[in-house]
Amino acid sequence: MKFIYFSSFYKLIASELISIFSFLITLIPGKIGSYLRNFYYFHLSMCHVFTISISPFCQIEGNIFFGSDFSLGRFSCLFARSGGKIVIGSNVSLNTNVMINSDLGGLIEIGNDVLIGPNVVIRSSEHMYSDPLTIIKCQGHIPGKIFIENDVWICANSVITSNVTIGKGSVIAAGSVVTTDVEPYSIVGGVPARIIKKRV
């Protein structure tokens, strides 16, 4: 009984030390901080190359994989906990304060050569709210999927909801809320987003 107790205690301490280290390396500025974050996420198998750039003050947790030449701006958060998954391609740039969340069994896949502006929210799971007699926070979540294809530009302050595909070469105008699929090479905008014109 004592062995089980101490084993659990040591696991808790190890987990807390990892969390503290993860937090501390987010605070280190400059090239040293960038190198340490590169090395840390490489060690966690989140990337296979040393050509990623993670700015200070970011949170990254869960089942996440980055391609080469990935950059993440300050104060951004990537979460793929509790069965979720995020896969990001190569040459992808996320600006400051971007939130990408695939917790609770969700899936988010981002292709190559994608640009994501500041304050964008991409979330693949939704709160359930069908029972009016139960408070919403107690009704659980519905996991979903989001696919962002190659060469997409998502402008500032946009929101991408679950179960949508944004087609190759598309542009999402600033402040848009995307609730349905976007055809390739489209420019969409509005709340909810509607097609403005085609690029080709």
Side-chain angles (χ1 to χ4, degrees), residues 6 21 25 34 43 57 75 91-92 103-104 118 136 143 174 184 198:
F6 282 115
F21 179 76
I25 66 167
S34 182
H43 180 70
F57 311 113
F75 306 110
N91 196 31
V92 173
D103 283 350
L104 305 164
I136 294 172
K198 299 285 286 186

Side-chain angles (χ1 to χ4, degrees), residues 129-165:
Y129 55 87
S130 57
D131 183 0
L133 301 179
T134 303
I135 59 174
I136 294 172
K137 69 179 292 186
C138 294
Q139 294 191 46
H141 293 78
I142 303 171
K145 298 178 181 180
I146 295 173
F147 299 102
I148 299 170
E149 297 181 353
N150 298 340
D151 188 29
V152 167
W153 177 22
I154 302 175
C155 298
N157 303 305
S158 295
V159 176
I160 313 299
T161 63
S162 64
N163 298 315
V164 300
T165 296

Side-chain angles (χ1 to χ4, degrees), residues 16-84:
E16 289 299 306
L17 288 174
I18 291 170
S19 295
I20 291 168
F21 179 76
S22 299
F23 172 73
L24 290 176
I25 66 167
T26 69
L27 305 179
I28 303 171
K31 291 183 178 179
I32 291 175
S34 182
Y35 179 83
L36 287 173
R37 286 185 288 275
N38 233 319
F39 180 81
Y40 178 68
Y41 295 118
F42 179 84
H43 180 70
L44 291 179
S45 298
M46 288 185 177
C47 61
H48 291 160
V49 290
F50 267 81
T51 56
I52 65 171
S53 175
I54 310 295
S55 298
F57 311 113
C58 293
Q59 284 184 272
I60 302 173
E61 299 177 21
N63 184 18
I64 301 169
F65 180 80
F66 313 114
S68 60
D69 299 306
F70 169 73
S71 65
L72 183 64
R74 290 183 175 220
F75 306 110
S76 293
C77 299
L78 306 180
F79 298 130
R81 302 162 296 197
S82 303

